[in-house]
Amino acid sequence: MAQVQALGSCRKFSGWSTQRHCRVLPSSVITPFPPPSHRLRISKSLSRQSSYSQQHRRSCFSVSTCRLSGESKDPNNKKELSSGDAIKLKWSQTSPRKTQQCRSSSVGVEAFQEQARGLQGDGTITLSREEEGESLPGSEPAQKDANQSAPGGHDFQWAENWYPIAVERDVRKELPLAVTILGKPLVLWWDRNKREKGQPGGWRAFLDMCPHRLAPLSEGRIDEAGRLQCSYHGWSFDGDARCQSIPQAEKEGPQAAAHSSPRACAQPFPTLLQNGLVWVWLDPATADTALKRPPPHVPEMDDPSFSKDLVARDFPYGYDFLVENLMDPSHLPFAHHGIMSNRSRAGPLRITLRGENPRGFVAEQHPQGKADFSAPVLFTQDINIPPKEKDAAKGGSGKKIRLCFWLTPVSPGRSRLFYAFPQNFVTWLFALIPRWLLHIRQHSILDSDLMILHLAEKRLQREGGGTDNWSRAYFMPTAADRYIVAFRRWLTKHGGGQPDFGPQPEPAPTAAQPGRMELMDRYESHTKHCSSCSKAVRRLEALQKGLAFGSVSIVALVSALASGGVVKAQAYGPYALLGALVMAVSAFGLKGVIQKFYVEDYIHALVK
Ligand code: FES
Ligand SMILES: [Fe+2]
């Protein structure tokens, strides 16, 4: 019966997706379509309009009337729809040729898809209450105050925000660093002449472009006076971006004052240091606003009772896929099987949205704890571990880990993640385990879904453009995807669907389609910028060379001594060979460890 209903319903749709859906599913798992009871989110459009049409895949539905059960037909006597109300919809399917007309509808596609799935044979649909405590779109946020100094609202300006650009401990103060954020090429450098909070020195960020002939300042150096010097013709800039020296200028006459021209200035951006990260405000024109609106702060990152390690990693997929992935606890048992979870642990997740507004959303995963998205850069998920009974009786408090993800848009198809998991238990572990060893393990986790995300992003692009293409392409029927829905809704409603990279964002480093190993590269995306890993890999490579050299030398030395009659070959030969063998095997073993700093593949099908 279920199968008949499913196929029968499918015939109402001319879209290929629906047909394919029916053919692919084995009959044992086909459920009645549409489902007998279906949750519908109330959209503002639905409550204000009495008729509309919309595209569903390649089919169009025209809904001619929409009214409460028992409500009069008088258009002047309409009530607002609310949760729990039953409504009557009269609808008809129209030709796919009317796609254009459907697209121009003002009704949210996501809302309509929900409605289309819920349409019953008699044209009745029931609005049912969402999970208790969840805030419906358009309702008042439960915990966050929408009237706070919101970063955007409907006119969200991506550049008018703080973005983390580097882990402070990993930036070498003697070297300028090239960083691209939101399509803007920047140079970050340490200005030892700056005084910040009474301390000498401070971070400076300029547009990575010399005003002379546009050479990248990140290829420059810190000169003897502590200024940033362009390496092309030697112009030098102080911490306020003023040009202080043009070596080619005459000492007398009009050229002598050329360095004080406004056109000789570099372009500075506000910076600050918080939670171990260097932050930059990307719109210099609104620097005053930057001072009034600091970046979101994570108290645990500055609390000495929490241990933590802050890490950076670049990815070959865009900001939206990065955010989705880190808000998605349900992928852990599969995408990270055998590394941090196990396929057998998969199951329903209880996630409740508590509030959505222009600043992001607040939600909760049960029983782990609260989640918070402070748009556009910070997502945190609390994991509260209650105390054992005997500890609770003694008044002991529970343990806590806070998963912190700082998410940055680099350029289209590129993103950068900063992450830390401050925890208030087993804090000695971080002092015991070398930082680079932690990073190697975390790379395995991050790499095991890298290809999936890189390709899924391309699939979404294939599904067509538009700020809400996700709502046409995704089918997310379970509570496990609630964070994703809330994030996508924020991005569509407030963020314009995608980060605003400006008219000409810095192009991705590789023009050609990179291969699998290039995509999974760890050296460029992490190791070379990480103080711990770069030092570790240098030392391991030196040790490897030493072992290889020692292995050959020991055999050569004993052979020479034996042939000269200094030692007996029978007495020392076996020891020399054994020593050489141990060294050679160790050098070979190190090769595998060193490789982990460069690249390592993860093939899901081979992980048992
Ligand atoms: S381009 Fe920088 S000094 Fe010439
Ligand atoms: Fe590292």
Side-chain angles (χ1 to χ4, degrees):
M1 178 60 190
Q3 192 176 7
V4 171
Q5 273 185 291
L7 293 172
S9 296
C10 278
R11 276 196 285 275
K12 291 172 187 167
F13 298 82
S14 62
W16 58 270
S17 304
T18 310
Q19 294 288 356
R20 186 182 60 174
H21 176 76
C22 289
R23 276 196 220 114
V24 170
L25 278 178
S27 59
S28 60
V29 298
I30 290 177
T31 54
F33 186 94
S37 69
H38 186 76
R39 281 179 178 168
L40 174 71
R41 292 196 178 89
I42 304 165
S43 76
K44 282 182 182 172
S45 311
L46 181 63
S47 63
R48 288 176 188 168
Q49 290 187 201
S50 59
S51 69
Y52 56 87
S53 65
Q54 188 51 269
Q55 183 189 18
H56 176 62
R57 300 291 183 185
R58 288 184 186 175
S59 294
C60 287
F61 292 89
S62 294
V63 178
S64 52
T65 64
C66 164
R67 63 174 197 275
L68 284 164
S69 295
E71 189 181 46
S72 82
K73 291 182 182 175
D74 180 0
N76 300 320
N77 189 22
K78 289 213 175 293
K79 289 192 280 182
E80 285 288 298
L81 299 178
S82 61
S83 181
D85 287 339
I87 59 167
K88 284 254 184 198
L89 291 175
K90 283 207 172 141
W91 59 280
S92 61
Q93 185 183 356
T94 57
S95 154
R97 285 191 200 135
K98 293 192 178 174
T99 295
Q100 204 52 44
Q101 173 208 326
C102 295
R103 276 196 180 138
S104 67
S105 163
S106 62
V107 178
V109 174
E110 183 202 15
F112 187 76
Q113 280 184 331
E114 295 274 271
Q115 293 148 23
R117 289 191 198 106
L119 289 169
Q120 305 289 314
D122 64 354
T124 303
I125 193 166
T126 301
L127 294 167
S128 58
R129 185 173 288 282
E130 298 246 340
E131 189 174 334
E132 197 59 37
E134 178 166 348
S135 171
L136 294 163
S139 66
E140 288 302 310
Q143 294 187 9
K144 283 198 166 189
D145 180 6
N147 296 322
Q148 289 171 15
S149 52
H154 289 286
D155 55 350
F156 185 84
Q157 299 297 323
W158 283 86
E160 289 180 30
N161 282 285
W162 287 103
Y163 292 88
I165 54 171
V167 177
E168 204 221 2
R169 67 175 286 187
D170 289 330
V171 191
R172 292 174 64 181
K173 290 182 175 166
E174 70 276 23
L175 292 179
L177 176 71
V179 191
T180 300
I181 289 285
L182 206 61
K184 273 195 172 65
L186 302 177
V187 54
L188 178 69
W189 65 285
W190 177 254
D191 175 13
R192 67 174 185 244
N193 299 316
K194 181 181 180 184
R195 291 193 74 79
E196 211 169 54
K197 292 182 183 165
Q199 301 295 317
W203 294 104
R204 304 287 195 183
F206 296 170
L207 192 65
D208 193 11
M209 197 167 77
C210 178
H212 177 215
R213 276 168 46 202
L214 316 190
L217 291 169
S218 56
E219 291 294 319
R221 69 180 195 114
I222 311 300
D223 71 9
E224 291 68 22
R227 304 169 303 198
L228 179 63
Q229 185 180 63
C230 178
S231 280
Y232 203 12
H233 309 96
W235 291 27
S236 287
F237 305 89
D238 67 15
D240 294 324
R242 287 183 301 239
C243 181
Q244 295 292 350
S245 166
I246 298 179
Q248 297 78 18
E250 300 282 359
K251 300 282 181 282
E252 306 287 335
Q255 288 184 15
H259 68 275
S260 53
S261 161
R263 292 199 58 190
C265 291
Q267 169 71 72
F269 292 79
T271 58
L272 62 75
L273 193 59
Q274 181 174 284
N275 285 154
L277 291 162
V278 184
W279 297 72
V280 63
W281 178 270
L282 286 180
D283 181 19
T286 54
D288 289 349
T289 313
L291 295 174
K292 291 181 211 143
R293 197 198 301 153
H297 181 251
V298 179
E300 291 84 353
M301 290 297 291
D302 297 332
D303 184 340
S305 65
F306 282 76
S307 59
K308 57 261 168 188
D309 176 39
L310 196 49
V311 196
R313 176 77 197 259
D314 289 356
F315 292 104
Y317 44 81
Y319 163 84
D320 50 343
F321 273 76
L322 175 71
V323 180
E324 270 191 9
N325 190 41
L326 294 160
M327 289 181 176
D328 178 16
S330 68
H331 80 286
L332 303 181
F334 294 97
H336 306 304
H337 166 76
I339 304 175
M340 67 175 297
S341 188
N342 193 288
R343 290 167 193 142
S344 61
R345 287 193 209 151
L349 297 181
R350 289 174 56 217
I351 292 176
T352 307
L353 285 177
R354 298 292 187 201
E356 298 174 83
N357 63 44
R359 291 184 63 84
F361 65 79
V362 179
E364 189 162 357
Q365 184 181 354
H366 311 274
Q368 283 81 356
K370 187 182 145 192
D372 193 312
F373 175 52
S374 296
V377 295
L378 177 63
F379 177 68
T380 61
Q381 168 74 61
D382 291 354
I383 298 182
N384 297 310
I385 305 165
K388 290 184 183 143
E389 257 178 50
K390 62 176 196 286
D391 294 337
K394 288 181 204 158
S397 57
K399 299 167 186 166
K400 180 179 179 183
I401 309 179
R402 191 162 195 204
L403 310 181
C404 304
F405 303 106
W406 292 268
L407 312 138
T408 58
V410 172
S411 55
R414 299 271 159 174
S415 55
R416 180 169 304 122
L417 167 69
F418 299 92
Y419 62 94
F421 309 135
Q423 62 183 61
N424 63 357
F425 60 97
V426 213
T427 49
W428 46 266
L429 200 66
F430 286 78
L432 214 62
I433 301 178
R435 188 172 174 237
W436 59 267
L437 203 57
L438 291 172
H439 294 188
I440 281 185
R441 172 165 167 71
Q442 287 156 2
H443 284 319
S444 302
I445 298 168
L446 296 169
D447 285 345
S448 51
D449 54 16
L450 186 146
M451 282 306 292
I452 295 173
L453 292 159
H454 177 74
L455 295 174
E457 180 178 47
K458 297 196 181 316
R459 304 284 185 273
L460 181 59
Q461 285 160 1
R462 262 169 43 112
E463 288 290 307
T467 58
D468 59 354
N469 57 346
W470 63 277
S471 65
R472 291 192 300 272
Y474 290 1
F475 176 47
M476 298 185 280
T478 74
D481 292 318
R482 284 223 164 105
Y483 291 158
I484 316 292
V485 173
F487 163 66
R488 284 288 181 181
R489 273 204 294 246
W490 173 84
L491 190 62
T492 302
K493 190 172 174 188
H494 303 292
Q498 275 293 320
D500 179 5
F501 292 106
Q504 288 179 320
E506 183 80 349
T510 319
Q513 174 63 30
R516 184 181 180 88
M517 287 298 112
E518 283 83 44
L519 287 171
M520 302 188 87
D521 163 79
R522 291 176 180 175
Y523 187 80
E524 291 293 327
S525 65
H526 172 82
T527 304
K528 81 173 188 184
H529 301 300
C530 173
S531 55
S532 304
C533 292
S534 56
K535 200 185 293 171
V537 76
R538 274 200 309 275
R539 287 180 178 171
L540 287 171
E541 281 172 340
L543 180 60
Q544 187 192 33
K545 281 181 193 150
L547 286 168
F549 181 73
S551 166
V552 175
S553 306
I554 200 167
V555 173
L557 183 67
V558 171
S559 307
L561 292 175
S563 62
V566 181
V567 296
K568 285 188 178 154
Q570 295 92 330
Y572 291 95
Y575 295 112
L577 280 177
L578 184 65
L581 191 66
V582 169
M583 285 191 191
V585 169
S586 305
F588 189 75
L590 276 181
K591 192 177 167 218
V593 180
I594 290 168
Q595 182 64 24
K596 289 180 186 295
F597 290 94
Y598 287 89
V599 68
E600 187 180 40
D601 203 353
Y602 182 94
I603 301 171
H604 289 262
L606 297 182
V607 182
K608 297 291 176 210

